[in-house]
Amino acid sequence: METYFNTYFSKETKTANLAVFRVFFGIMMFFSTLRFLSYGWVDKLYIQPKFFFSYYGFEWIKPLGVYTYALFIVCLISSFLIIIGYKYRYSIIVFFLCFTYIELMDKTTYLNHYYFVSCLSFLLLFLPANRRFSLDAYLDNSLNQEYIPKWNVDCIKVMLFIVYFYAGLAKLNSDWLLEAMPLKIWLPSNYDLPILGSLLQKEWVHYAFSWGGALYDLMIPFLLLYKPTRWFGFFMVVVFHVLTRILFPIGVFPFVMIVSALIFFDSDFHEKLIHKASKLLKLKPLNNSVVGQRSPRKIPLLIIGLFLLIQLLLPWRYLLYQNELFWTEEGYRFSWRVMLMEKAGYAQFKVVDSSNGKSFLIDNNDFLTSFQEKQMSTQPDFMLQYAHYLADHFSENGAKNIEVYVESYVAINGRLSQPYVDPKVDLAKEKDSFAPKKWILNFNDDIKGL
Amino acid sequence: MKKTKVWGFIILLSLIVFACSTSDDEGGTSEETSDNFNRSAMLINWADNIIIPAYTAFNADVAVMVQASSVFTETPSEANLQNLRSAWKDAYVSFQSVSMFEIGKAEELNFRNRLNVYPTDVTSIEENVSNNTYNFSLPSNIAIQGFPAIDYLINGLAGTDAEIVAFYNSESTATGYNGYLNELTNTVLELSTTVLNDWEGSYRSIFVAGTSSSATGSVDKLVNDFLFYYEKSLRAGKIGIPAGVFSVDPLPEKVEALYSKEIGKELLLAAITASQNFFNGKSFTSASEGESLKSYLDFLNTIKNGDDLSTLINNQFDISKTKAAELGNDLALQVTTDNSKMTETYDELQRNVILLKVDMLQALSINVDFVDADGD
């Protein structure tokens, strides 16, 4: 066993794979940041709201007012530097910190694909992605390396494997497979697409998409890993992600996944890409440095190993909770449950001054944007945080002994809405933690599956 | 070999993207034949059988009110005041059938707010009357115009009709009040005519053609407008706010038609009925029902808990109306004498917010107020 590991870790592969990955990743991030800025989302999502929903343990991360733009500009610049591979180590560190900071500012905007980008850039912190086709390598020929340890490339493959396979496993549930939910809700609303539009009204199409989607997610990592099926797998990646791009508002994510899948291809493919690009950019070829193999760097290997182990285990944390995952969402985030449920809710908060028993209802528009309200009304940790915010707000206004109650209804995957939070529980007294939230009412149904 | 495959992908990709990007323009007519629910027919039913007839009726009622206002200001008498009041009431009731359609020109003009923000700003009205200067189109002047301001001028100036008429006769105040009253009623007519003309002109075809499922499609937009109206103007505005559910104490002075003291309940019932009729696609002028949110829900077969969602919603509308019918005509008085009837009505109206906003929107896959961010 030990020799197996030793031989594996001494294996080498062409640097080209990682270099191409770096360039594509940089390009995707550059345009994704540019797109975010051009849509005015910085102002809308991070400057206009009065209140921000923090991740547990990251309450100290807040938007920086108008300086939030600076964060995005730094993101933009660093992703450009990643593309050209200039001062790579610094630019990827800066990018990772900036991007992750942005994501942690408000969990309203949590998306699996943003988390995915944070994960990838975390991996890239420790990988020598600037040893080919980079300004760094052109400026310092000793950096130019034809070969790097194989695990440097494989760890990205493992990450992608987890994303796809876990997304597939998550689809193995009764709602998805037996009810074709939530696709049965989502697909018919695309009635205005040519050709597809009328097909999407048919029930068999909903089932075909559900089963096809689950099968796709489970199979794709294997199709990409196995050389004879790789091109077919990539073809499927393109078709699938372009289709999801057409059907759902998922921004740049499909394109990120498409270019990421290129990592599975052999080195000669990436060599050719670099060769062509060099010719196009009229770059003169460099001699590969003859500097011998650097001593194996143990620390990055350990960190990456640990990171991937966490990635493998974290999505299963929901098993520690008794209640229905879709209903309570305890352990839902950060586990590649992508486009898995349609959840809608309504939360009416009541503030009570217990010193005189007087109470009033809250108009959420006074405190939250419609996007924040939408996310808040289906997720218990949001509700709790908002309740505390309300309690603090109305305590500041002179009143003490503030209690906060919520009357809420949530509908998931086409079921009729049900009461969600116990309306008799004073949320101002409840603390957020990883412990099960006992004030969430029971889900009157069963969703079977993983 | 690999080269051809790469090109194959690129061509496929551009084909799909092309197919997708042209969808907005040509999606309107081709798919209706194969798709069982006809959204285009729903939009046509909304426009031709509900919205335009409702605006037409409203506009006619407003014209009568303007006429009555000019008769009254020319010859201020108690009889003419009564006539004006009755015309004002008819127009106000009629307004309940158009208020929810804040789309197109109405949205542009801020129609609902300019016609019906209450409580009206009495201090500013009095200032304007004495200065004889006012610009109703300024956003800051929303609370000095529309039906609530007219309500104040014809019902709230004094305790008795004779005293009210005196304001329009006395030398020192007549010019100011007469001018202001006419300006108010004329502005309502002007706005209403503008909206109606737009519907009868170009907007109807724009609205009906907007069959796309995007945030800019007519279905998504009008459903959002309808829900916003139901939640904020009807449930909260007419009942919730005066009943004090959003404040520490009840606020009886915030009822609709505060000075009239007679028509609050009638306006409320008219609004609930109009909302229900819109939901059912009931024609404004007859009892026939066309394609609607109800038939759309039925098409999507959203049968849950053994009950049809559209039936649940209709039942809830009926319960709300029954509860509202128990209220007194004067809602401010109702708040001060027995507010529990108000809060009970609020609760019934609220139940439909959940059915409409959570269950119906989920079934229709329409986003609440367009959050143009990405999903995943």
Side-chain angles (χ1 to χ4, degrees):
Chain A
M1 196 64 182
E2 202 184 323
T3 50
Y4 174 81
F5 272 110
N6 283 338
T7 41
Y8 173 74
F9 287 119
S10 60
K11 270 190 189 165
E12 294 200 322
T13 186
K14 288 273 182 77
T15 317
N17 295 39
L18 196 58
V20 169
F21 185 80
R22 184 202 81 231
V23 173
F24 276 124
F25 179 78
I27 293 173
M28 286 295 140
M29 292 309 107
F30 184 81
F31 283 106
S32 155
T33 313
L34 208 58
R35 173 175 177 269
F36 206 97
L37 279 164
S38 72
Y39 286 1
W41 286 351
V42 180
D43 181 57
K44 191 173 171 180
L45 300 174
Y46 297 117
I47 297 181
Q48 281 180 12
K50 293 176 192 161
F51 165 67
F52 299 96
F53 289 99
S54 303
Y55 288 93
Y56 187 69
F58 292 94
E59 290 79 5
W60 48 280
I61 293 188
K62 291 278 177 231
L64 311 172
V66 74
Y67 298 105
T68 312
Y69 279 107
L71 273 176
F72 280 84
I73 299 298
V74 174
C75 239
L76 199 67
I77 295 170
S78 58
S79 50
F80 179 72
L81 296 179
I82 291 169
I83 304 175
I84 61 171
Y86 181 65
K87 305 259 184 219
Y88 168 74
R89 183 105 341 185
Y90 297 106
S91 39
I92 187 72
I93 290 173
V94 169
F95 177 82
F96 168 73
L97 291 176
C98 264
F99 189 90
T100 308
Y101 187 96
I102 289 169
E103 291 326 314
L104 292 173
M105 291 191 305
D106 187 357
K107 68 182 167 191
T108 307
T109 56
Y110 169 81
L111 287 183
N112 284 296
H113 80 250
Y114 291 149
Y115 173 52
F116 176 63
V117 166
S118 273
C119 289
L120 280 184
S121 50
F122 181 79
L123 285 178
L124 283 170
L125 291 180
F126 305 98
L127 302 179
N130 60 338
R131 299 294 159 84
R132 280 286 318 262
F133 198 56
S134 74
L135 209 54
D136 286 345
Y138 276 85
L139 295 174
D140 175 3
N141 200 33
S142 75
L143 275 178
N144 203 52
Q145 257 180 302
E146 195 174 0
Y147 291 97
I148 50 169
K150 189 165 183 295
W151 64 263
N152 285 176
V153 174
D154 286 348
C155 64
I156 294 177
K157 294 182 190 169
V158 174
M159 189 70 229
L160 276 160
F161 185 97
I162 294 173
V163 173
Y164 274 118
F165 197 67
Y166 278 34
L169 290 179
K171 290 186 172 71
L172 302 180
N173 67 70
S174 54
D175 270 20
W176 186 272
L177 297 175
L178 303 182
E179 308 289 336
M181 278 290 181
L183 290 180
K184 210 181 248 183
I185 295 174
W186 290 336
L187 294 180
S189 73
N190 287 291
Y191 53 78
D192 55 331
L193 289 177
I195 309 159
L196 270 179
S198 54
L199 273 178
L200 295 175
Q201 312 299 313
K202 306 208 183 316
E203 199 177 24
W204 68 266
V205 175
H206 309 152
Y207 280 97
F209 273 60
S210 292
W211 284 73
L215 212 61
Y216 167 85
D217 280 338
L218 291 170
M219 299 276 292
I220 210 68
F222 297 101
L223 293 178
L224 288 172
L225 276 172
Y226 185 51
K227 194 170 178 190
T229 56
R230 196 165 293 149
W231 272 104
F232 172 69
F234 188 65
F235 173 78
M236 293 302 293
V237 167
V238 174
V239 171
F240 179 84
H241 287 295
V242 169
L243 199 61
T244 57
R245 178 72 183 82
I246 293 170
L247 294 176
F248 309 114
I250 44 179
V252 295
F253 180 57
F255 306 112
V256 172
M257 291 311 279
I258 289 173
V259 298
S260 297
L262 290 173
I263 192 90
F264 286 94
F265 282 94
D266 288 340
S267 300
D268 50 346
F269 172 84
H270 295 93
E271 288 284 358
K272 257 186 224 155
L273 274 183
I274 289 181
H275 185 70
K276 291 235 172 83
S278 301
K279 239 161 97 183
L280 209 67
L281 298 167
K282 299 195 167 55
L283 300 174
K284 56 179 196 302
L286 280 183
N287 292 325
N288 289 319
S289 162
V290 283
V291 176
Q293 167 78 15
R294 290 159 193 243
S295 58
R297 299 180 307 146
K298 285 235 167 77
I299 291 170
L301 181 60
L302 273 174
I303 294 175
I304 286 178
L306 195 68
F307 176 73
L308 291 178
L309 187 71
I310 292 173
Q311 283 297 324
L312 281 169
L313 296 178
L314 195 68
W316 299 104
R317 73 189 185 282
Y318 80 94
L319 293 171
L320 300 172
Y321 296 97
Q322 292 289 314
N323 294 323
E324 174 51 49
L325 170 69
F326 283 28
W327 184 245
T328 65
E329 295 203 33
E330 291 169 326
Y332 195 88
R333 279 189 285 261
F334 310 114
S335 56
W336 312 118
R337 295 171 195 282
V338 185
M339 300 291 280
L340 209 52
M341 66 175 173
E342 166 65 36
K343 208 174 183 190
Y346 189 89
Q348 176 72 73
F349 284 81
K350 181 163 86 173
V351 171
V352 180
D353 184 346
S354 61
S355 58
N356 57 17
K358 292 203 168 178
S359 68
F360 54 93
L361 301 183
I362 297 296
D363 182 349
N364 292 326
N365 291 6
D366 291 346
F367 301 97
L368 305 179
T369 65
S370 56
F371 188 23
Q372 289 178 318
E373 184 182 3
K374 180 184 168 199
Q375 300 290 4
M376 179 277 290
S377 53
T378 59
Q379 296 174 65
D381 54 335
F382 281 69
M383 290 186 185
L384 188 61
Q385 224 174 77
Y386 182 48
H388 280 274
Y389 170 75
L390 290 174
D392 293 347
H393 177 84
F394 288 101
S395 298
E396 271 170 32
N397 288 0
K400 297 271 179 288
N401 313 315
I402 291 295
E403 295 168 1
V404 181
Y405 300 90
V406 64
E407 188 178 355
S408 57
Y409 293 84
V410 166
I412 81 176
N413 286 351
R415 290 172 181 80
L416 196 65
S417 56
Q418 294 172 22
Y420 189 63
V421 167
D422 187 343
K424 291 188 283 296
V425 169
D426 174 12
L427 290 179
K429 289 203 181 56
E430 298 295 322
K431 294 253 179 307
D432 199 6
S433 73
F434 291 121
K437 294 177 169 57
K438 295 207 169 67
W439 36 270
I440 303 175
L441 296 170
N442 277 334
F443 180 54
N444 303 329
D445 203 352
D446 233 356
I447 301 175
K448 295 200 161 53
L450 281 175
Chain B
M1 182 59 194
K2 275 181 182 163
K3 212 179 204 171
T4 54
K5 277 177 181 163
V6 174
W7 279 111
F9 287 132
I10 294 171
I11 291 166
L12 176 93
L13 219 135
S14 32
L15 272 179
I16 298 177
V17 170
F18 175 74
C20 162
S21 61
T22 55
S23 66
D24 285 347
D25 314 316
E26 54 192 0
T29 48
S30 57
E31 98 276 7
E32 269 114 40
T33 42
S34 51
D35 171 3
N36 293 321
F37 187 78
N38 193 334
R39 281 160 205 87
S40 181
M42 179 165 76
L43 291 174
I44 290 170
N45 184 42
W46 285 352
D48 296 349
N49 298 328
I50 303 176
I51 301 176
I52 295 174
Y55 272 115
T56 309
F58 175 59
N59 202 54
D61 288 336
V62 174
V64 172
M65 175 176 78
V66 168
Q67 180 61 28
S69 159
S70 85
V71 169
F72 172 67
T73 50
E74 263 166 44
T75 329
S77 70
E78 287 184 41
N80 286 340
L81 177 64
Q82 305 277 6
N83 278 338
L84 172 55
R85 269 188 197 144
S86 130
W88 166 80
K89 188 198 105 172
D90 290 345
Y92 209 171
V93 170
S94 192
F95 172 73
Q96 309 301 322
S97 296
V98 296
S99 180
M100 69 188 87
F101 304 122
E102 192 92 339
I103 194 170
K105 196 55 104 183
E107 188 181 9
E108 208 177 287
L109 293 173
N110 205 0
F111 192 68
R112 183 192 306 134
N113 282 342
R114 289 195 60 186
L115 262 55
N116 198 25
V117 158
Y118 50 90
T120 198
D121 184 351
V122 171
T123 321
S124 299
I125 291 177
E126 290 294 354
E127 266 171 36
N128 288 324
V129 167
S130 53
N131 300 338
N132 232 340
T133 52
Y134 28 84
N135 178 1
F136 290 149
S137 54
L138 289 178
S140 55
N141 283 345
I142 269 175
I144 61 164
Q145 56 181 309
F147 290 103
I150 303 172
D151 181 24
Y152 170 67
L153 286 186
I154 62 177
N155 294 310
L157 285 178
T160 66
D161 287 6
E163 285 171 296
I164 293 174
V165 172
F167 277 92
Y168 296 86
N169 274 325
S170 126
E171 228 169 277
S172 58
T173 54
T175 325
Y177 283 107
N178 288 337
Y180 197 80
L181 181 60
N182 281 329
E183 193 68 29
L184 283 176
T185 52
N186 274 313
T187 305
V188 173
L189 181 62
E190 206 179 285
L191 291 169
S192 145
T193 309
T194 311
V195 175
L196 178 61
N197 285 347
D198 195 47
W199 270 104
E200 285 178 331
S202 59
Y203 189 67
R204 187 251 175 218
S205 53
I206 297 170
F207 176 78
V208 165
T211 52
S212 91
S213 63
S214 65
T216 52
S218 298
V219 177
D220 283 36
K221 258 177 90 56
L222 194 64
V223 169
N224 263 289
D225 292 339
F226 170 60
L227 289 186
F228 183 84
Y229 165 80
Y230 181 82
E231 192 181 355
K232 306 284 176 192
S233 293
L234 205 170
R235 175 203 65 141
K238 292 180 201 294
I239 298 292
I241 293 171
V245 298
F246 297 102
S247 54
V248 176
D249 295 305
L251 304 165
E253 70 281 5
K254 294 207 170 187
V255 295
E256 196 173 20
L258 172 69
Y259 302 99
S260 136
K261 299 189 199 310
E262 281 168 11
I263 65 166
K265 177 167 103 173
E266 195 174 343
L267 296 177
L268 170 70
L269 284 169
I272 302 175
T273 306
S275 301
Q276 185 172 16
N277 288 346
F278 171 69
F279 174 78
N280 289 324
K282 183 180 166 294
S283 159
F284 187 80
T285 49
S286 76
S288 69
E289 288 183 1
E291 295 286 24
S292 61
L293 292 173
K294 173 179 177 283
S295 60
Y296 196 173
L297 283 177
D298 292 342
F299 163 71
L300 292 167
N301 196 24
T302 49
I303 294 165
K304 295 152 194 166
N305 287 7
D307 255 326
D308 210 317
L309 183 53
S310 66
T311 311
L312 292 176
I313 291 172
N314 263 320
N315 289 346
Q316 196 53 44
F317 271 123
D318 292 340
I319 297 170
S320 308
K321 277 194 285 192
T322 313
K323 205 73 203 162
E326 292 173 18
L327 298 168
N329 290 335
D330 181 352
L331 296 183
L333 186 68
Q334 185 69 56
V335 170
T336 45
T337 53
D338 182 7
N339 197 28
S340 64
K341 282 212 167 60
M342 286 289 277
T343 53
E344 282 164 22
T345 308
Y346 174 85
D347 290 342
E348 298 305 341
L349 291 169
Q350 166 67 9
R351 289 207 175 97
N352 238 354
V353 170
I354 290 144
L355 291 172
L356 293 166
K357 205 173 167 179
V358 179
D359 295 294
M360 180 178 84
L361 282 195
Q362 176 174 92
L364 304 181
S365 198
I366 291 178
N367 279 328
V368 182
D369 279 319
F370 310 107
V371 183
D372 62 344
D374 295 331
D376 68 359

